[in-house]
Amino acid sequence: MDNLEESREYKAAKALEDAINDMSWNEKEFAKACCTFHRTLQQTLFRTLVAVLREYADPNRSVDPRNEASKDGSRKLLEVIDTLYIPFI
């Protein structure tokens, strides 16, 4: 897509950003809620999460002390993920 900001993926990411940007956000409850998705959609979410990790781990991605651990952790997680058979990734 030529204009990321017009994509449905961008809009979904921004909606998630709004939800996360709240002191009462509970990542464990979010994770439980995701487990209620249809099985195929759970796989799609997993592929999406792996894609996010790949973006976070990109060596060309700029970081500062606030998100440096996310980049390092993503890189380490991908070392494991890349050894697994995960359909459609």
Side-chain angles (χ1 to χ4, degrees):
M1 173 163 270
D2 293 332
N3 190 351
L4 178 64
E5 292 180 9
E6 292 180 15
S7 71
R8 67 183 181 161
E9 293 80 5
Y10 181 86
K11 292 172 185 170
K14 294 311 256 181
L16 180 58
E17 178 185 39
D18 283 344
I20 291 171
N21 191 22
D22 184 309
M23 294 299 287
S24 64
W25 176 257
N26 184 323
E27 58 275 354
K28 291 178 183 176
E29 290 298 312
F30 177 77
K32 288 178 189 177
C34 290
C35 290
T36 67
F37 292 2
H38 184 278
R39 300 292 190 242
T40 302
L41 296 178
Q42 289 179 27
Q43 187 67 23
T44 301
L45 176 61
F46 188 77
R47 284 196 314 271
T48 301
L49 295 173
V50 171
V52 169
L53 292 174
R54 291 195 192 290
E55 288 295 320
Y56 280 9
D58 184 335
N60 298 316
R61 183 172 164 262
S62 176
V63 296
D64 64 30
R66 294 171 293 179
N67 65 343
E68 189 172 1
S70 295
K71 183 172 186 170
D72 292 342
S74 295
R75 183 182 49 75
K76 290 175 183 175
L77 287 169
L78 286 169
E79 289 174 7
V80 174
I81 289 170
D82 287 341
T83 67
L84 304 173
Y85 169 70
I86 303 168
F88 310 111
I89 292 185

Coordinates of all heavy atoms in Angstrom, one line a residue:
M1 N 0.9 -1.2 0.0 CA 0.0 0.0 0.0 C 0.9 1.2 0.0 O 1.9 1.3 0.7 CB -0.9 0.0 1.2 CG -1.7 1.2 1.4 SD -3.1 1.1 2.5 CE -4.4 0.6 1.3
D2 N 0.5 2.2 -0.8 CA 1.3 3.4 -0.9 C 1.2 4.3 0.3 O 2.2 4.9 0.7 CB 0.9 4.2 -2.1 CG 1.2 3.5 -3.4 OD1 2.1 2.7 -3.5 OD2 0.4 3.7 -4.4
N3 N 0.1 4.4 0.9 CA -0.1 5.3 2.1 C -0.5 4.5 3.3 O -1.6 4.1 3.5 CB -1.1 6.3 1.8 CG -1.2 7.4 2.8 OD1 -0.5 7.3 3.9 ND2 -1.9 8.5 2.6
L4 N 0.5 4.2 4.1 CA 0.3 3.4 5.3 C -0.8 3.9 6.2 O -1.6 3.2 6.7 CB 1.6 3.3 6.1 CG 1.5 2.5 7.5 CD1 1.3 1.1 7.2 CD2 2.8 2.7 8.2
E5 N -0.9 5.2 6.4 CA -1.8 5.8 7.3 C -3.3 5.6 6.8 O -4.2 5.8 7.6 CB -1.5 7.3 7.5 CG -0.2 7.5 8.3 CD 0.1 9.0 8.5 OE1 -0.7 9.8 8.2 OE2 1.2 9.2 9.0
E6 N -3.5 5.2 5.6 CA -4.9 5.0 5.1 C -5.2 3.5 5.2 O -6.4 3.1 4.9 CB -5.0 5.5 3.7 CG -5.0 7.0 3.6 CD -5.1 7.5 2.2 OE1 -5.5 6.7 1.3 OE2 -4.8 8.7 1.9
S7 N -4.3 2.6 5.6 CA -4.6 1.2 5.6 C -5.4 0.8 6.9 O -5.3 1.5 7.9 CB -3.2 0.4 5.6 OG -2.6 0.6 6.8
R8 N -6.1 -0.3 6.8 CA -6.8 -0.8 7.9 C -5.9 -1.3 9.0 O -6.2 -1.2 10.2 CB -7.8 -1.8 7.5 CG -7.2 -3.1 7.0 CD -8.3 -4.1 6.6 NE -7.6 -5.3 6.1 CZ -8.2 -6.5 6.0 NH1 -9.5 -6.6 6.3 NH2 -7.5 -7.5 5.6
E9 N -4.7 -1.7 8.6 CA -3.7 -2.2 9.6 C -3.2 -1.0 10.4 O -3.0 -1.2 11.6 CB -2.5 -2.9 8.8 CG -2.9 -4.2 8.2 CD -3.6 -4.1 6.8 OE1 -3.7 -2.9 6.3 OE2 -4.0 -5.1 6.3
Y10 N -3.0 0.1 9.8 CA -2.5 1.3 10.5 C -3.6 1.7 11.5 O -3.3 2.0 12.7 CB -2.2 2.4 9.6 CG -1.7 3.7 10.2 CD1 -0.4 3.8 10.6 CD2 -2.6 4.7 10.6 CE1 0.1 5.0 11.2 CE2 -2.2 5.9 11.2 CZ -0.8 6.0 11.5 OH -0.4 7.1 12.1
K11 N -4.9 1.7 11.0 CA -6.0 2.1 11.9 C -6.1 1.1 13.1 O -6.4 1.6 14.2 CB -7.3 2.2 11.1 CG -7.2 3.4 10.1 CD -8.4 3.4 9.2 CE -8.2 4.5 8.1 NZ -9.1 4.5 7.1
A12 N -5.9 -0.2 12.8 CA -6.0 -1.1 13.9 C -4.9 -0.9 14.9 O -5.1 -1.0 16.1 CB -6.0 -2.5 13.3
A13 N -3.7 -0.7 14.4 CA -2.5 -0.4 15.3 C -2.8 0.8 16.1 O -2.4 0.8 17.3 CB -1.3 -0.3 14.5
K14 N -3.3 1.8 15.6 CA -3.6 3.1 16.3 C -4.7 2.8 17.4 O -4.6 3.4 18.5 CB -4.0 4.2 15.4 CG -2.8 4.7 14.5 CD -1.5 4.9 15.2 CE -1.2 6.3 15.5 NZ 0.0 6.6 16.2
A15 N -5.7 2.0 17.1 CA -6.7 1.7 18.1 C -6.1 0.9 19.2 O -6.4 1.2 20.4 CB -7.8 0.9 17.4
L16 N -5.2 0.0 18.9 CA -4.5 -0.7 19.9 C -3.6 0.2 20.8 O -3.6 0.1 22.0 CB -3.6 -1.9 19.4 CG -2.8 -2.7 20.3 CD1 -3.8 -3.4 21.4 CD2 -2.0 -3.8 19.6
E17 N -2.9 1.1 20.1 CA -2.1 2.1 20.8 C -3.0 2.9 21.8 O -2.6 3.1 22.9 CB -1.5 3.1 19.8 CG -0.7 4.2 20.4 CD -0.2 5.2 19.4 OE1 -0.9 5.5 18.5 OE2 1.0 5.7 19.6
D18 N -4.2 3.3 21.4 CA -5.1 4.1 22.3 C -5.4 3.2 23.5 O -5.5 3.7 24.6 CB -6.3 4.5 21.5 CG -6.1 5.7 20.6 OD1 -5.1 6.4 20.8 OD2 -7.0 5.9 19.8
A19 N -5.7 1.9 23.3 CA -6.1 1.1 24.4 C -4.9 0.8 25.3 O -5.1 0.9 26.5 CB -6.6 -0.3 23.8
I20 N -3.7 0.7 24.8 CA -2.5 0.4 25.6 C -2.1 1.7 26.4 O -1.6 1.6 27.5 CB -1.4 -0.1 24.7 CG1 -1.6 -1.5 24.2 CG2 -0.1 -0.1 25.5 CD1 -0.7 -1.9 23.2
N21 N -2.4 2.8 25.8 CA -2.0 4.1 26.5 C -3.0 4.5 27.6 O -3.5 5.5 27.6 CB -1.9 5.2 25.4 CG -1.2 6.4 25.9 OD1 -0.5 6.4 26.9 ND2 -1.5 7.5 25.3
D22 N -3.1 3.5 28.5 CA -4.1 3.7 29.6 C -3.5 3.0 30.8 O -3.1 1.9 30.7 CB -5.4 3.1 29.2 CG -6.5 3.3 30.3 OD1 -6.3 3.0 31.4 OD2 -7.6 3.8 29.9
M23 N -3.4 3.7 31.9 CA -2.8 3.1 33.1 C -3.5 1.8 33.6 O -2.9 1.0 34.3 CB -2.8 4.1 34.2 CG -2.0 5.3 34.0 SD -0.2 4.9 33.7 CE 0.3 4.5 35.4
S24 N -4.7 1.6 33.2 CA -5.4 0.3 33.6 C -5.3 -0.8 32.6 O -5.9 -1.8 32.8 CB -6.9 0.6 33.9 OG -7.5 1.0 32.7
W25 N -4.4 -0.6 31.5 CA -4.2 -1.7 30.5 C -3.7 -2.9 31.2 O -2.8 -2.9 32.0 CB -3.3 -1.2 29.4 CG -3.0 -2.3 28.5 CD1 -1.8 -3.1 28.4 CD2 -3.8 -2.8 27.4 NE1 -1.9 -4.0 27.4 CE2 -3.1 -3.8 26.8 CE3 -5.0 -2.5 26.9 CZ2 -3.6 -4.5 25.7 CZ3 -5.5 -3.1 25.8 CH2 -4.8 -4.2 25.2
N26 N -4.3 -4.1 30.9 CA -3.9 -5.3 31.5 C -3.5 -6.3 30.4 O -4.4 -6.9 29.8 CB -5.0 -5.9 32.4 CG -4.6 -7.1 33.1 OD1 -3.9 -8.0 32.6 ND2 -5.1 -7.2 34.4
E27 N -2.2 -6.5 30.1 CA -1.8 -7.3 29.0 C -2.2 -8.8 29.3 O -2.4 -9.5 28.3 CB -0.3 -7.2 28.8 CG 0.6 -7.5 29.9 CD 0.9 -6.4 30.9 OE1 0.4 -5.3 30.7 OE2 1.5 -6.6 32.0
K28 N -2.3 -9.2 30.5 CA -2.7 -10.6 30.7 C -4.2 -10.8 30.3 O -4.5 -11.9 29.8 CB -2.5 -11.0 32.2 CG -1.0 -11.1 32.5 CD -0.7 -11.4 34.0 CE 0.8 -11.4 34.2 NZ 1.0 -11.6 35.7
E29 N -5.0 -9.9 30.7 CA -6.4 -10.0 30.3 C -6.6 -9.9 28.7 O -7.4 -10.6 28.2 CB -7.3 -8.9 30.9 CG -7.4 -9.0 32.4 CD -8.2 -10.3 32.8 OE1 -9.2 -10.6 32.2 OE2 -7.7 -11.1 33.7
F30 N -5.7 -9.1 28.1 CA -5.7 -9.0 26.6 C -5.4 -10.3 26.1 O -6.0 -10.8 25.1 CB -4.8 -7.9 26.2 CG -4.7 -7.8 24.7 CD1 -5.6 -7.2 23.9 CD2 -3.5 -8.3 24.0 CE1 -5.5 -7.0 22.6 CE2 -3.4 -8.2 22.7 CZ -4.4 -7.6 21.9
A31 N -4.3 -11.0 26.6 CA -3.9 -12.3 26.1 C -5.0 -13.3 26.3 O -5.2 -14.1 25.4 CB -2.6 -12.7 26.9
K32 N -5.7 -13.3 27.4 CA -6.8 -14.2 27.6 C -7.9 -14.0 26.6 O -8.5 -14.9 26.0 CB -7.4 -14.1 29.0 CG -6.5 -14.6 30.1 CD -7.1 -14.4 31.5 CE -6.2 -14.7 32.6 NZ -6.8 -14.4 33.9
A33 N -8.2 -12.7 26.3 CA -9.2 -12.4 25.4 C -8.9 -12.9 24.0 O -9.7 -13.3 23.2 CB -9.5 -10.9 25.3
C34 N -7.6 -12.8 23.6 CA -7.1 -13.2 22.3 C -7.3 -14.7 22.1 O -7.5 -15.2 21.0 CB -5.7 -12.9 22.1 SG -5.4 -11.1 21.8
C35 N -7.3 -15.5 23.2 CA -7.5 -16.9 23.2 C -9.0 -17.3 22.9 O -9.3 -18.5 22.6 CB -7.0 -17.6 24.5 SG -5.3 -17.5 24.7
T36 N -9.9 -16.3 22.9 CA -11.2 -16.6 22.5 C -11.5 -16.4 21.0 O -12.5 -16.7 20.5 CB -12.2 -15.6 23.2 OG1 -12.0 -14.3 22.8 CG2 -12.0 -15.6 24.7
F37 N -10.4 -16.0 20.3 CA -10.5 -15.9 18.8 C -10.7 -17.2 18.2 O -10.3 -18.2 18.7 CB -9.3 -15.3 18.2 CG -9.0 -13.8 18.6 CD1 -9.8 -13.1 19.4 CD2 -7.8 -13.2 18.0 CE1 -9.4 -11.8 19.7 CE2 -7.5 -11.9 18.3 CZ -8.3 -11.2 19.1
H38 N -11.3 -17.2 17.0 CA -11.4 -18.4 16.2 C -10.0 -18.9 16.0 O -9.0 -18.2 15.9 CB -12.0 -18.1 14.8 CG -12.2 -19.2 13.9 ND1 -11.2 -19.7 13.2 CD2 -13.3 -20.0 13.7 CE1 -11.7 -20.7 12.4 NE2 -13.0 -20.9 12.7
R39 N -9.8 -20.3 15.9 CA -8.5 -20.9 15.8 C -7.7 -20.3 14.6 O -6.5 -20.1 14.8 CB -8.6 -22.4 15.7 CG -9.3 -23.1 16.8 CD -8.5 -23.0 18.1 NE -9.0 -23.8 19.1 CZ -9.5 -23.4 20.3 NH1 -9.5 -22.1 20.6 NH2 -9.9 -24.2 21.2
T40 N -8.3 -20.1 13.5 CA -7.6 -19.6 12.4 C -7.1 -18.1 12.7 O -6.0 -17.8 12.3 CB -8.5 -19.6 11.1 OG1 -8.9 -20.9 10.9 CG2 -7.8 -19.0 9.9
L41 N -7.9 -17.4 13.3 CA -7.5 -16.0 13.7 C -6.5 -16.0 14.7 O -5.6 -15.1 14.8 CB -8.8 -15.2 14.1 CG -9.8 -15.0 13.1 CD1 -11.0 -14.3 13.6 CD2 -9.3 -14.3 11.8
Q42 N -6.4 -17.0 15.6 CA -5.3 -17.1 16.5 C -4.0 -17.2 15.8 O -3.0 -16.6 16.1 CB -5.5 -18.2 17.5 CG -6.6 -18.0 18.5 CD -6.8 -19.2 19.4 OE1 -5.9 -19.9 19.7 NE2 -8.0 -19.3 19.9
Q43 N -4.0 -18.0 14.7 CA -2.8 -18.2 13.9 C -2.4 -16.9 13.2 O -1.3 -16.5 13.1 CB -3.0 -19.3 12.9 CG -1.8 -19.7 12.1 CD -0.7 -20.3 13.0 OE1 -0.9 -20.9 14.0 NE2 0.6 -20.2 12.5
T44 N -3.4 -16.2 12.7 CA -3.2 -14.9 12.1 C -2.6 -13.9 13.1 O -1.7 -13.2 12.7 CB -4.5 -14.4 11.4 OG1 -5.0 -15.3 10.5 CG2 -4.3 -13.0 10.8
L45 N -3.1 -13.9 14.3 CA -2.6 -13.0 15.3 C -1.1 -13.4 15.6 O -0.3 -12.5 15.7 CB -3.4 -13.1 16.6 CG -2.9 -12.3 17.7 CD1 -2.8 -10.8 17.4 CD2 -3.7 -12.5 19.0
F46 N -0.8 -14.7 15.7 CA 0.5 -15.1 15.9 C 1.5 -14.6 14.8 O 2.6 -14.1 15.1 CB 0.6 -16.6 16.1 CG 2.0 -17.1 16.6 CD1 2.4 -16.9 17.9 CD2 2.9 -17.6 15.7 CE1 3.6 -17.3 18.3 CE2 4.1 -18.0 16.1 CZ 4.5 -17.9 17.4
R47 N 1.0 -14.8 13.6 CA 1.8 -14.3 12.4 C 2.1 -12.8 12.5 O 3.2 -12.3 12.3 CB 1.2 -14.6 11.1 CG 1.3 -16.1 10.7 CD 0.9 -16.3 9.2 NE -0.2 -15.6 8.7 CZ -1.5 -16.1 8.8 NH1 -1.7 -17.3 9.2 NH2 -2.5 -15.4 8.3
T48 N 1.0 -12.1 13.0 CA 1.1 -10.7 13.1 C 2.1 -10.3 14.2 O 3.0 -9.4 14.1 CB -0.3 -10.1 13.5 OG1 -1.2 -10.4 12.4 CG2 -0.2 -8.6 13.6
L49 N 2.1 -11.0 15.3 CA 3.0 -10.8 16.4 C 4.5 -11.0 16.0 O 5.4 -10.3 16.3 CB 2.7 -11.6 17.7 CG 1.3 -11.3 18.3 CD1 1.0 -12.3 19.4 CD2 1.3 -9.9 18.9
V50 N 4.7 -12.1 15.2 CA 6.0 -12.4 14.7 C 6.5 -11.3 13.8 O 7.6 -10.8 13.8 CB 6.1 -13.8 14.0 CG1 7.4 -14.0 13.3 CG2 5.8 -14.9 15.0
A51 N 5.5 -10.8 12.9 CA 5.9 -9.7 12.0 C 6.3 -8.4 12.9 O 7.2 -7.7 12.5 CB 4.7 -9.3 11.1
V52 N 5.6 -8.2 14.0 CA 5.9 -7.0 14.8 C 7.3 -7.3 15.4 O 8.2 -6.3 15.4 CB 4.9 -6.9 15.9 CG1 5.4 -5.9 17.0 CG2 3.5 -6.4 15.4
L53 N 7.6 -8.5 15.9 CA 8.9 -8.8 16.4 C 10.0 -8.5 15.4 O 11.1 -7.9 15.7 CB 9.0 -10.2 16.9 CG 8.2 -10.5 18.1 CD1 8.3 -12.0 18.4 CD2 8.6 -9.7 19.3
R54 N 9.7 -8.9 14.1 CA 10.7 -8.7 13.1 C 11.0 -7.2 12.8 O 12.1 -6.7 12.6 CB 10.3 -9.3 11.8 CG 10.4 -10.8 11.8 CD 10.3 -11.5 10.5 NE 10.1 -12.9 10.6 CZ 10.9 -13.8 11.1 NH1 12.1 -13.4 11.4 NH2 10.6 -15.1 11.2
E55 N 9.9 -6.4 12.9 CA 10.1 -4.9 12.7 C 10.9 -4.3 13.9 O 11.7 -3.5 13.7 CB 8.7 -4.2 12.6 CG 8.0 -4.5 11.3 CD 8.7 -3.9 10.1 OE1 9.2 -2.7 10.3 OE2 8.8 -4.5 9.1
Y56 N 10.5 -4.8 15.1 CA 11.2 -4.3 16.3 C 12.7 -4.7 16.3 O 13.5 -3.9 16.8 CB 10.6 -4.9 17.6 CG 9.3 -4.2 18.1 CD1 8.6 -3.3 17.3 CD2 8.8 -4.6 19.3 CE1 7.5 -2.7 17.8 CE2 7.6 -4.0 19.8 CZ 7.0 -3.0 19.0 OH 5.9 -2.4 19.5
A57 N 13.0 -5.9 15.8 CA 14.4 -6.3 15.8 C 15.2 -5.8 14.6 O 16.5 -6.0 14.6 CB 14.4 -7.9 15.7
D58 N 14.6 -5.1 13.7 CA 15.3 -4.6 12.5 C 16.5 -3.8 13.0 O 16.4 -2.8 13.7 CB 14.4 -3.7 11.7 CG 15.0 -3.2 10.4 OD1 16.2 -3.1 10.3 OD2 14.2 -2.9 9.5
P59 N 17.7 -4.2 12.5 CA 19.0 -3.5 12.9 C 19.0 -2.0 12.5 O 19.7 -1.2 13.1 CB 20.1 -4.2 12.2 CG 19.5 -5.2 11.3 CD 18.0 -5.3 11.6
N60 N 18.2 -1.6 11.5 CA 18.1 -0.2 11.1 C 17.1 0.6 11.8 O 17.0 1.8 11.6 CB 17.8 -0.2 9.6 CG 18.9 -0.8 8.7 OD1 20.0 -0.6 9.0 ND2 18.4 -1.7 7.8
R61 N 16.4 -0.1 12.7 CA 15.4 0.6 13.5 C 16.0 1.4 14.6 O 16.8 0.9 15.4 CB 14.4 -0.4 14.1 CG 13.2 0.2 14.9 CD 12.2 -0.8 15.3 NE 11.4 -0.3 16.3 CZ 11.5 -0.6 17.6 NH1 12.5 -1.4 18.0 NH2 10.7 -0.1 18.5
S62 N 15.6 2.7 14.7 CA 16.2 3.6 15.7 C 15.5 3.3 17.1 O 14.3 3.1 17.2 CB 15.9 5.0 15.3 OG 16.3 5.9 16.3
V63 N 16.4 3.2 18.1 CA 15.9 3.0 19.5 C 16.5 4.0 20.4 O 17.5 4.7 20.1 CB 16.2 1.6 20.0 CG1 15.5 0.5 19.2 CG2 17.7 1.3 20.0
D64 N 15.9 4.1 21.6 CA 16.5 4.9 22.7 C 16.3 4.1 24.0 O 15.8 3.0 23.9 CB 15.9 6.3 22.8 CG 14.5 6.4 23.1 OD1 14.0 5.4 23.8 OD2 13.8 7.3 22.7
P65 N 16.8 4.5 25.1 CA 16.7 3.7 26.3 C 15.3 3.2 26.6 O 15.1 2.2 27.3 CB 17.3 4.6 27.4 CG 18.2 5.5 26.7 CD 17.6 5.7 25.4
R66 N 14.3 3.9 26.2 CA 12.9 3.5 26.5 C 12.4 2.2 25.8 O 11.6 1.5 26.3 CB 11.9 4.6 26.2 CG 12.1 5.9 27.0 CD 11.3 7.0 26.5 NE 11.8 7.4 25.2 CZ 11.3 8.4 24.4 NH1 10.2 9.0 24.8 NH2 11.8 8.6 23.3
N67 N 13.0 2.0 24.6 CA 12.6 0.8 23.9 C 13.7 -0.1 23.4 O 13.5 -1.0 22.6 CB 11.7 1.2 22.7 CG 12.5 2.0 21.6 OD1 13.5 2.5 21.9 ND2 11.9 2.1 20.5
E68 N 14.9 0.1 24.0 CA 16.0 -0.7 23.6 C 15.8 -2.2 24.0 O 16.2 -3.1 23.3 CB 17.3 -0.2 24.3 CG 18.6 -0.8 23.9 CD 19.8 -0.1 24.5 OE1 19.6 0.8 25.2 OE2 20.9 -0.6 24.1
A69 N 15.2 -2.4 25.2 CA 14.9 -3.8 25.6 C 14.0 -4.5 24.7 O 14.1 -5.7 24.4 CB 14.4 -3.8 27.0
S70 N 13.0 -3.8 24.1 CA 12.1 -4.4 23.1 C 12.8 -4.9 21.9 O 12.5 -5.9 21.3 CB 11.0 -3.4 22.7 OG 10.2 -3.1 23.8
K71 N 13.8 -4.1 21.4 CA 14.6 -4.5 20.2 C 15.4 -5.7 20.5 O 15.4 -6.7 19.8 CB 15.4 -3.3 19.8 CG 16.2 -3.6 18.5 CD 16.9 -2.4 17.9 CE 17.5 -2.7 16.6 NZ 18.0 -1.5 15.9
D72 N 16.1 -5.6 21.7 CA 17.0 -6.8 22.0 C 16.2 -8.0 22.3 O 16.5 -9.1 21.8 CB 17.8 -6.4 23.3 CG 18.8 -5.3 23.0 OD1 19.2 -5.1 21.8 OD2 19.3 -4.7 24.0
G73 N 15.1 -7.9 23.0 CA 14.2 -9.1 23.3 C 13.6 -9.6 22.0 O 13.5 -10.9 21.9
S74 N 13.2 -8.8 21.1 CA 12.7 -9.3 19.8 C 13.7 -10.1 19.0 O 13.4 -11.1 18.5 CB 12.2 -8.1 19.0 OG 11.1 -7.4 19.6
R75 N 14.9 -9.6 19.0 CA 16.0 -10.3 18.3 C 16.2 -11.7 18.9 O 16.3 -12.7 18.2 CB 17.3 -9.4 18.4 CG 18.4 -10.0 17.6 CD 19.7 -9.2 17.7 NE 20.0 -8.9 19.1 CZ 20.6 -9.7 20.0 NH1 20.8 -11.0 19.6 NH2 20.9 -9.3 21.2
K76 N 16.2 -11.7 20.2 CA 16.4 -13.0 20.9 C 15.3 -14.0 20.7 O 15.5 -15.2 20.5 CB 16.7 -12.8 22.4 CG 18.0 -12.2 22.6 CD 18.2 -11.8 24.1 CE 19.6 -11.1 24.3 NZ 19.8 -10.6 25.7
L77 N 14.1 -13.5 20.8 CA 12.9 -14.3 20.5 C 12.9 -14.9 19.1 O 12.5 -16.0 18.9 CB 11.6 -13.5 20.8 CG 11.3 -13.3 22.3 CD1 10.1 -12.3 22.4 CD2 10.9 -14.6 23.0
L78 N 13.3 -14.0 18.1 CA 13.3 -14.5 16.7 C 14.3 -15.6 16.5 O 14.1 -16.4 15.6 CB 13.5 -13.3 15.8 CG 12.3 -12.4 15.6 CD1 12.7 -11.1 14.9 CD2 11.2 -13.1 14.9
E79 N 15.4 -15.6 17.3 CA 16.4 -16.7 17.2 C 15.7 -18.0 17.4 O 16.0 -19.0 16.8 CB 17.5 -16.4 18.1 CG 18.5 -15.3 17.7 CD 19.5 -15.0 18.8 OE1 19.6 -15.8 19.8 OE2 20.2 -14.0 18.6
V80 N 14.8 -18.0 18.4 CA 14.0 -19.3 18.7 C 12.9 -19.5 17.7 O 12.8 -20.6 17.2 CB 13.5 -19.2 20.1 CG1 12.6 -20.4 20.4 CG2 14.6 -19.1 21.2
I81 N 12.2 -18.5 17.4 CA 11.0 -18.6 16.5 C 11.5 -19.1 15.1 O 10.9 -20.0 14.5 CB 10.3 -17.3 16.3 CG1 9.5 -17.0 17.6 CG2 9.3 -17.3 15.1 CD1 8.9 -15.6 17.7
D82 N 12.7 -18.6 14.7 CA 13.2 -19.0 13.4 C 13.6 -20.5 13.3 O 13.8 -21.0 12.2 CB 14.3 -18.1 12.9 CG 13.8 -16.7 12.5 OD1 12.6 -16.6 12.2 OD2 14.7 -15.8 12.5
T83 N 13.7 -21.2 14.4 CA 14.0 -22.6 14.4 C 12.8 -23.5 14.4 O 12.9 -24.7 14.3 CB 14.9 -23.0 15.7 OG1 14.1 -22.9 16.9 CG2 16.1 -22.1 15.8
L84 N 11.6 -22.9 14.6 CA 10.3 -23.6 14.7 C 9.6 -23.7 13.3 O 9.8 -22.8 12.5 CB 9.4 -22.9 15.7 CG 9.9 -22.7 17.1 CD1 8.9 -21.8 17.9 CD2 10.2 -24.0 17.8
Y85 N 8.8 -24.7 13.2 CA 7.9 -24.8 12.0 C 6.6 -24.1 12.4 O 5.9 -24.6 13.3 CB 7.7 -26.3 11.6 CG 6.6 -26.3 10.6 CD1 6.7 -25.8 9.3 CD2 5.3 -26.8 10.9 CE1 5.7 -25.9 8.4 CE2 4.2 -26.8 10.0 CZ 4.5 -26.3 8.7 OH 3.4 -26.3 7.8
I86 N 6.4 -23.0 11.8 CA 5.1 -22.3 12.1 C 4.5 -22.1 10.7 O 5.0 -21.4 9.9 CB 5.4 -21.0 12.8 CG1 6.1 -21.2 14.1 CG2 4.0 -20.2 13.0 CD1 6.7 -20.0 14.7
P87 N 3.3 -22.7 10.5 CA 2.7 -22.6 9.1 C 2.4 -21.2 8.7 O 2.0 -20.4 9.6 CB 1.4 -23.4 9.3 CG 1.5 -24.2 10.5 CD 2.5 -23.5 11.4
F88 N 2.7 -20.9 7.5 CA 2.3 -19.6 6.9 C 3.2 -18.4 7.4 O 2.8 -17.3 7.3 CB 0.8 -19.3 7.0 CG 0.0 -20.4 6.6 CD1 -0.8 -21.1 7.5 CD2 -0.1 -20.8 5.3 CE1 -1.6 -22.2 7.1 CE2 -0.8 -21.9 4.8 CZ -1.6 -22.6 5.8
I89 N 4.3 -18.7 8.0 CA 5.2 -17.6 8.4 C 6.4 -17.7 7.5 O 7.0 -18.7 7.3 CB 5.6 -17.7 9.9 CG1 4.4 -17.4 10.7 CG2 6.7 -16.7 10.2 CD1 4.6 -17.3 12.2

